[in-house]
Amino acid sequence: MIIQRVVLNSRPGKNGNPVAENFRVEEFSLPDALNEGQVQVRTLYLSVDPYMRCKMNEDTGTDYLAPWQLAQVADGGGIGVVEESKHQKLTKGDFVTSFYWPWQTKAILDGNGLEKVDPQLVDGHLSYFLGAIGMPGLTSLIGVQEKGHISAGSNQTMVVSGAAGACGSLAGQIGHLLGCSRVVGICGTQEKCLFLTSELGFDAAVNYKTGNVAEQLREACPGGVDVYFDNVGGDISNAVISQMNENSHIILCGQISQYSNDVPYPPPLPPAVEAIRKERNITRERFTVLNYKDKFEPGILQLSQWFKEGKLKLL
């Protein structure tokens, strides 16, 4: 069987920006028969995520992400339907997902590496399993639960950078649901700011491309910042950290502003900002959702429940 797949054609370099020419589409021949334990799947949805920039490097800089190999198929979060099975627990017609789904139209995969998904949890919208009811949703929920130290009724303010993105848009809503009294988002357009406040329930939004971010934050967070869901790093995060309260917490979800720079992860803070962090006892610990697999199942059920109740709005 001839299928199409996307392979890594070249690397952008540790400090380069990815371009279309770093990839190519090619035809590939699948085996005609399955081995025991394998399934043939047809790809329905693929997720393209910020962390994949690291996988384009020869060294990802992390111990849990393997780099993509030149001339080999790219992979990531994906969802598909089983077309043929030699696996005891998977049958034709099952919908399945994997964090290591190859970017190809059809594939033969080890059934043990796949998870069945229930379309009823997402009212039939299977792509949601790659978003709010999938890894981005789990990252937001578990990150806030494990690293945010939110206590309902304690009048905490949360700030979210990259607030209009897949994780940020969910993290702000989850912050409210878990007890934050005020949630402020940072994004890059007035349209996004309006969407955050009018549709997603954020109390205020800061456009980092207009005006002084630190001044806008002081106005939006008069009581300071207690929880910071950090998706971007860099100058924006430095401005937020400078306004954080004593014993506050940074949820280190991502540093997208730094992914095309050759720096360690997490990137070190400037000396003045690091001095503030230490002086105010602000926690800033690396967060990796894959370390919390035991919380995935209850997390998916909680996200699905909020979605069905209309408490969690999706992009």
Side-chain angles (χ1 to χ4, degrees), residues 297-313:
E297 185 174 349
I300 290 291
L301 293 176
Q302 176 65 84
L303 293 164
S304 172
Q305 179 183 337
W306 281 336
F307 161 63
K308 290 190 172 186
E309 291 173 350
K311 296 179 179 177
L312 195 65
K313 295 185 178 180

Side-chain angles (χ1 to χ4, degrees), residues 50-123:
Y51 77 87
M52 292 174 173
R53 173 62 185 87
C54 303
K55 290 176 72 72
M56 297 181 74
N57 295 336
E58 203 165 355
D59 177 5
T60 65
T62 69
D63 53 5
Y64 64 92
L65 288 177
W68 287 331
Q69 299 300 314
L70 290 173
Q72 297 298 311
V73 65
D75 67 349
I79 289 180
V81 59
V82 175
E83 293 190 325
E84 185 180 345
S85 176
K86 281 195 173 181
H87 190 276
Q88 290 184 342
K89 296 182 179 180
L90 297 173
T91 59
K92 183 177 180 179
D94 284 344
F95 295 105
V96 290
T97 186
S98 169
F99 189 61
Y100 304 101
W101 197 283
W103 287 11
Q104 52 194 60
T105 52
K106 294 189 179 186
I108 293 176
L109 303 175
D110 180 356
N112 291 330
L114 299 172
E115 293 285 339
K116 285 177 66 171
V117 293
D118 181 0
Q120 292 185 3
L121 291 177
V122 290
D123 289 344

Side-chain angles (χ1 to χ4, degrees), residues 48-310:
V48 180
D49 302 292
Y51 77 87
M52 292 174 173
R53 173 62 185 87
C54 303
K55 290 176 72 72
M56 297 181 74
N57 295 336
E58 203 165 355
D59 177 5
T60 65
T62 69
D63 53 5
Y64 64 92
L65 288 177
W68 287 331
Q69 299 300 314
L70 290 173
Q72 297 298 311
V73 65
D75 67 349
I79 289 180
V81 59
V82 175
E83 293 190 325
E84 185 180 345
S85 176
K86 281 195 173 181
H87 190 276
Q88 290 184 342
K89 296 182 179 180
L90 297 173
T91 59
K92 183 177 180 179
D94 284 344
F95 295 105
V96 290
T97 186
S98 169
F99 189 61
Y100 304 101
W101 197 283
W103 287 11
Q104 52 194 60
T105 52
K106 294 189 179 186
I108 293 176
L109 303 175
D110 180 356
N112 291 330
L114 299 172
E115 293 285 339
K116 285 177 66 171
V117 293
D118 181 0
Q120 292 185 3
L121 291 177
V122 290
D123 289 344
H125 300 283
L126 288 169
S127 64
Y128 291 178
F129 284 120
L130 296 180
I133 321 296
M135 195 60 70
L138 288 170
T139 300
S140 303
L141 174 62
I142 298 172
V144 173
Q145 287 176 327
E146 296 294 320
K147 300 294 185 180
H149 302 276
I150 293 171
S151 177
S154 58
N155 200 32
Q156 290 168 295
T157 294
M158 171 190 273
V159 170
V160 182
S161 58
C167 284
S169 63
L170 298 168
Q173 296 179 77
I174 290 168
H176 262 321
L177 288 167
L178 294 183
C180 279
S181 60
R182 185 167 181 80
V183 175
V184 177
I186 303 175
C187 55
T189 69
Q190 289 306 119
E191 291 79 9
K192 290 178 180 178
C193 286
L194 181 62
F195 179 73
L196 293 178
T197 55
S198 64
E199 298 293 331
L200 300 188
F202 282 64
D203 298 285
V206 169
N207 183 347
Y208 69 87
K209 292 183 179 178
T210 61
N212 183 287
V213 172
E215 290 178 1
Q216 293 181 77
L217 278 173
R218 275 191 288 272
E219 184 176 339
C221 308
V225 179
D226 302 294
V227 184
Y228 174 38
F229 196 95
D230 186 3
N231 285 305
V232 302
D235 292 341
I236 290 173
S237 290
N238 296 338
V240 177
I241 295 168
S242 298
Q243 298 185 40
M244 294 186 75
N245 296 322
E246 286 192 14
N247 303 314
S248 54
H249 304 281
I250 299 168
I251 303 166
L252 197 60
C253 179
Q255 301 281 277
I256 193 170
S257 71
Q258 305 300 307
Y259 287 166
S260 290
N261 299 327
D262 186 12
V263 294
Y265 188 88
L269 297 171
V273 179
E274 177 64 12
I276 290 172
R277 189 196 69 78
K278 288 183 176 178
E279 180 182 318
R280 298 179 190 171
N281 192 35
I282 302 169
T283 63
R284 182 181 185 255
E285 301 167 345
R286 182 174 179 170
F287 169 71
T288 304
V289 72
L290 295 177
N291 292 337
Y292 297 89
K293 290 184 178 179
D294 60 315
K295 299 183 184 296
F296 281 15
E297 185 174 349
I300 290 291
L301 293 176
Q302 176 65 84
L303 293 164
S304 172
Q305 179 183 337
W306 281 336
F307 161 63
K308 290 190 172 186
E309 291 173 350

